[in-house]
Amino acid sequence: MIRLVAGLLVAAATLVLPAVLDDSALAVYILLGLAAMVTVGVSLLMGYAGQVSLGQGAFYAIGAYTAALLALNGVPPLAGLVAAPVVAALSALVIGVPLLRLRGHHLAFATLAMQLILLSLAGQLEITGGDIGLQAIPQFSVGSFEAGGASAYAYLTWAGLALVMLVTRNVIISRPGRALRALATSETAAASSGIPVGRYKLVVFALSAAFAGLAGGIYCFYTGYVAPGSFPVLISIQYIVMAVVGGLGTIWGAVVGATAITLLVQALNSLAALPGMPTYAPSVLSYAVYALVLILVVLFLPHGLLPAVTKRAGGADPPAHRPGRTRPPPRWPRSGRASRD
């Protein structure tokens, strides 16, 4: 009952806020929703499948460039937005075949290198506009309706986030979701149980990439401009921080983490814009605060903000699954005879 009431309150606030926020606050609101969309995929990938990726910003960029190129070449914006997650997922399937043979920090560094290579190519290819990028991207439209204001993009963003959360929930409670949890606990044990480990890792990698691609597609229509500078390496680290702070392995934790970190980043940007601050202040402050937040969360809130709050409030316990956590050994019968089971 409490969860239902909380969900209704969040839904009501989501619908009301675009009508009452000014343009600057709406921009933060939209970017928050886009970040939450990507972070849900990161939480699914890391919290349930146990795969670490520092390259989600690459799939965010792939979705944005896909939608932008199609729209600039006369394709309806709706078709471009649909194509964005599809192309991002297909790219993840191709890239994931060699990369997902790696594990742990090797996989993390490989995905980070993938983003660096992608940004380098986008800055040199003529089709992507080079370092200048793609400009004058048409507004998102469906038939005669055109999203001309920020409030329309806010509704579009949070509708996309609702879709992403619904898909993730259905995956988690399904049989493949249970297989993912077993895979994260021990790939060897999962394989011995008949779970196709390689296939499941590749599918969840592609699904998280599709979420990032959808967010990138909405982003390109909202800003009307994409360039390699729109997708710095720091953005992938930011998604990891959001997932960890909110609570890995929880859907709403990704939204909580995205909200906390986005508001923190906005505060840091305001601080860095004060008179007398050096030009490198925003990046230095961001890296320093990300490191500090991660250390504090790992030390004092190892499950993340949302599980800690719900446990303190007497709600659900923190997620039972964490990458690397094993179940207790089974209790064998005390007698020497075999169990009837």
Side-chain angles (χ1 to χ4, degrees):
M1 183 64 181
I2 296 177
R3 292 184 178 182
L4 177 60
V5 172
L8 291 176
L9 290 176
V10 171
T14 301
L15 295 174
V16 170
L17 281 176
V20 299
L21 296 177
D22 57 21
D23 289 342
S24 60
L26 265 178
V28 177
Y29 189 61
I30 293 171
L31 294 178
L32 191 159
L34 295 176
M37 206 179 303
V38 184
T39 308
V40 170
V42 173
S43 184
L44 176 65
L45 184 64
M46 294 181 60
Y48 284 92
Q51 307 300 312
V52 181
S53 172
L54 291 177
Q56 293 303 106
F59 301 116
Y60 188 58
I62 289 174
Y65 273 105
T66 298
L69 286 170
L70 290 176
L72 288 172
N73 285 278
V75 177
L78 178 60
L81 184 59
V82 172
V86 174
V87 174
L90 292 176
S91 302
L93 290 175
V94 174
I95 297 171
V97 171
L99 289 191
L100 293 179
R101 298 178 182 272
L102 305 173
R103 299 181 183 179
H105 62 278
H106 297 288
L107 176 61
F109 289 140
T111 53
L112 180 61
M114 171 197 68
Q115 180 173 349
L116 293 174
I117 293 171
L118 177 68
L119 293 177
S120 178
L121 290 175
Q124 297 179 15
L125 295 177
E126 183 179 352
I127 189 175
T128 57
D131 290 329
I132 299 176
L134 301 175
Q135 305 178 26
I137 300 172
Q139 296 283 345
F140 178 77
S141 61
V142 180
S144 59
F145 169 78
E146 182 176 292
S151 59
Y153 284 102
Y155 288 121
L156 177 63
T157 297
W158 286 83
L161 176 59
L163 174 63
V164 165
M165 294 174 69
L166 178 62
V167 171
T168 303
R169 179 184 179 276
N170 289 336
V171 169
I172 290 172
I173 64 176
S174 67
R175 184 175 180 181
R178 295 191 295 271
L180 288 176
R181 291 191 288 272
L183 186 154
T185 301
S186 173
E187 291 188 12
T188 303
S192 64
S193 301
I195 296 174
V197 172
R199 186 187 310 168
Y200 273 67
K201 288 168 61 176
L202 192 60
V203 169
V204 74
F205 188 62
L207 183 60
S208 66
F211 294 163
L214 176 61
I218 297 175
Y219 173 81
C220 88
F221 289 118
Y222 170 61
T223 60
Y225 168 78
V226 291
S230 305
F231 315 99
V233 174
L234 182 61
I235 197 171
S236 293
I237 300 174
Q238 181 175 304
Y239 296 140
I240 300 293
V241 175
M242 289 175 177
V244 173
V245 168
L248 280 176
T250 61
I251 300 175
W252 281 103
V255 180
V256 171
T259 302
I261 298 300
T262 300
L263 296 179
L264 179 61
V265 168
Q266 294 302 316
L268 291 175
N269 290 338
S270 299
L271 178 62
L274 293 176
M277 296 294 287
T279 56
Y280 54 82
S283 60
V284 172
L285 286 175
S286 297
Y287 281 112
V289 171
Y290 287 162
L292 180 61
V293 167
L294 275 178
I295 292 172
L296 293 176
V297 168
V298 170
L299 287 177
F300 301 105
L301 299 172
H303 294 290
L305 285 175
L306 183 64
V309 171
T310 54
K311 184 179 181 180
R312 185 177 294 272
D317 292 333
H321 169 71
R322 279 289 180 266
R325 176 173 293 184
T326 57
R327 295 181 179 179
R331 296 182 178 179
W332 300 102
R334 293 185 178 179
S335 64
R337 293 175 297 176
S339 172
R340 293 183 180 181
D341 297 335

